[in-house]
């Protein structure tokens, strides 16, 4: 199988929060500095999003404010979390999760991708994408195949899912505006399979960037473009985007796992090795036993959010001392 490296397209248009798709320009690769901090937030469904908020709130309680990192990278449910923690205090976000009316628990398998409900059982989505991944020759081929399948699904609908999903994402964000601090949200071009990264200079609304990063079951439209879940860019974390940053903290609800073959080097451990080889200090936080129990068997189930957030909070508080020394 081919392991040819891929390039990332950083979509950047002429002005923040003002789409001007007639004159796009592509931003250069982000470069970190040895004294800068990067926070990487991975995907992992409704439970994973709540766990991320809980961990960050727990770290804050222990004296480490990870939300002030010079760079925040968000993928899928982590893209939602990135927009949330830069728009509101993590403690308030945690309280909102814990006090929200909890829906009944839904049976089903653990899934990857966006923190939202879907039409059709999660198992069908996982089986369908699993077959596509298994048939792919390499990572680029996988992204092209997944994009084509998502476009086919979108073409078979009446288009209402797009508007409904955008409204759902908008309701979850404290602010519709991009934060001033550098925030990168990942996606994949559904037509070409090319990896894409949105930032505040992309000319793309924050709501659309988050919605695209979470779009694992259909191709989300932004202007003339169509995009799928950022978890297919390289991994559910995309920690490689933090290259050059002195300290990199990775929170991975999915435990660093990848559904792709190991030889494609799309799993978190491969990215951590690359970052450390480039001089970065890296710490990863994976769900502990209590957190995994809180997740249950279906990460997409909204009823898992309160227990996942509580478990994440406890885990973050427990790790605060050690990670505080690392974070400086």
């Amino acid at each position: 199988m081919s392991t040819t490296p891929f390039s990332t397209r950083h979509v950047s248009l002429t002005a923040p929060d003002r789409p001007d798709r007639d004159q796009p320009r592509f931003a250069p690769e982000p470069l970190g500095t040895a004294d800068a901090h990067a926070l990487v937030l991975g995907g992992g469904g409704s439970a994973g999003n709540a766990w991320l908020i809980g961990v960050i709130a727990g770290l804050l309680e222990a004296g480490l404010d990870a939300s002030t990192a010079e760079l925040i990278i968000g993928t899928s449910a982590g893209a939602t979390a990135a927009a949330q923690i830069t728009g509101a205090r993590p403690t308030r976000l945690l309280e909102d999760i814990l006090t929200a009316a909890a829906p009944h628990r839904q049976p089903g398998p653990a899934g990857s991708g966006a923190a939202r409900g879907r039409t059709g059982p999660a198992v069908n989505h996982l089986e369908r994408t699993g077959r596509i991944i298994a048939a792919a020759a390499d990572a680029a081929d996988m992204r092209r195949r997944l994009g084509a399948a998502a476009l086919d699904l979108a073409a078979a609908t009446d288009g209402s899912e797009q508007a409904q999903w955008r409204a759902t994402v908008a309701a979850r964000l404290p602010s519709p505006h991009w934060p001033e601090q550098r925030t990168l949200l990942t996606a994949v071009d559904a037509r070409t399979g090319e990896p894409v990264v949105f930032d505040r200079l992309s000319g793309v609304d924050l709501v659309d960037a988050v919605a695209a990063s979470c779009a694992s079951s259909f191709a989300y439209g932004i202007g003339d473009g169509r995009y799928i879940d950022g978890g297919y860019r390289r991994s559910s974390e995309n920690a490689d985007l933090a290259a050059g940053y002195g300290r990199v903290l990775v929170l991975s609800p999915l435990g660093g796992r990848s559904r792709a073959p190991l030889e494609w080097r799309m799993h978190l451990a491969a990215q951590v090795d690359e970052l450390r080889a480039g001089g970065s200090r890296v710490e990863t936080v994976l769900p502990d036993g209590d957190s995994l129990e809180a997740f249950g068997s279906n990460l997409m189930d909204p009823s898992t959010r309160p227990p996942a957030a509580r478990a994440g909070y406890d885990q973050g508080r427990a790790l605060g001392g050690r990670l505080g020394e690392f974070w400086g």
Side-chain angles (χ1 to χ4, degrees), residues 205-266:
D205 288 345
L206 177 63
V207 174
D208 285 320
V210 173
S213 186
C214 296
S216 62
S217 65
F218 76 107
Y220 184 83
I222 303 177
D224 294 332
R226 296 294 181 270
Y227 303 93
I228 59 172
D229 197 297
Y232 298 127
R233 174 193 169 272
R234 179 170 182 184
S235 72
S236 293
E237 300 83 20
N238 292 302
D240 59 292
L241 291 173
Y245 282 76
R247 294 175 177 85
V248 181
L249 177 60
V250 184
L251 308 185
S252 174
L254 294 180
R257 300 186 303 275
S258 173
R259 298 167 67 198
L262 286 177
E263 58 265 31
W264 295 0
R265 296 186 61 77
M266 298 181 75

Side-chain angles (χ1 to χ4, degrees), residues 11-323:
V11 178
S12 184
L13 304 183
T14 56
D17 296 327
R18 290 182 56 193
D20 183 3
R21 298 178 181 88
D22 293 329
Q23 297 181 356
R25 66 179 178 84
F26 302 111
E29 294 285 335
L31 296 175
T33 60
D35 59 350
H37 302 69
L39 174 65
V40 179
L41 304 176
S46 290
N49 172 267
W51 179 81
L52 290 169
I53 297 300
V55 171
I56 294 167
L59 290 173
L60 180 60
E61 179 71 17
L64 191 165
D65 189 356
S67 69
T68 61
E70 286 86 355
L71 171 68
I72 297 180
I73 299 165
T75 295
S76 197
T80 305
Q84 289 169 327
I85 66 168
T86 54
R89 292 289 289 172
T91 49
R92 196 202 90 185
L93 296 168
L94 175 63
E95 182 180 359
D96 289 344
I97 295 171
L98 297 180
T99 58
H104 295 296
R105 182 174 289 270
Q106 302 170 2
S112 62
R116 66 178 181 123
R118 305 200 184 282
T119 56
V123 64
N124 291 345
H125 173 71
L126 289 174
E127 289 179 351
R128 178 177 58 83
T129 54
R131 289 193 295 269
I132 293 171
I133 293 169
D138 54 28
D141 185 40
M142 176 196 72
R143 290 190 296 271
R144 286 191 295 268
R145 288 171 180 260
L146 288 166
L151 288 169
D152 289 343
L153 285 176
T157 68
D158 60 7
S160 62
E161 186 173 30
Q162 163 110 6
Q164 293 170 357
W165 178 222
R166 191 183 195 282
T168 298
V169 170
R172 292 175 176 167
L173 305 187
S175 169
H177 304 297
W178 283 89
E180 288 298 319
Q181 72 197 97
R182 187 160 178 75
T183 304
L184 303 180
L185 305 181
T186 63
V188 171
D189 188 312
R191 293 195 176 105
T192 67
E194 186 177 6
V196 171
V197 176
F198 297 110
D199 64 13
R200 66 180 296 271
L201 299 179
S202 296
V204 171
D205 288 345
L206 177 63
V207 174
D208 285 320
V210 173
S213 186
C214 296
S216 62
S217 65
F218 76 107
Y220 184 83
I222 303 177
D224 294 332
R226 296 294 181 270
Y227 303 93
I228 59 172
D229 197 297
Y232 298 127
R233 174 193 169 272
R234 179 170 182 184
S235 72
S236 293
E237 300 83 20
N238 292 302
D240 59 292
L241 291 173
Y245 282 76
R247 294 175 177 85
V248 181
L249 177 60
V250 184
L251 308 185
S252 174
L254 294 180
R257 300 186 303 275
S258 173
R259 298 167 67 198
L262 286 177
E263 58 265 31
W264 295 0
R265 296 186 61 77
M266 298 181 75
H267 52 294
L268 177 59
Q271 297 167 62
V272 170
D273 288 344
E274 292 167 9
L275 289 171
R276 288 173 175 161
S280 298
R281 295 178 60 191
V282 185
E283 288 283 351
T284 61
V285 178
L286 313 180
D288 61 12
D290 290 341
S291 296
L292 291 173
E293 183 177 354
F295 290 176
S297 62
N298 183 5
L299 288 169
M300 306 308 298
D301 181 358
S303 73
T304 62
R305 290 179 61 75
R310 280 191 293 268
Y313 175 77
D314 291 341
Q315 189 174 355
R317 283 193 64 186
L319 291 172
R322 177 174 65 82
L323 291 180

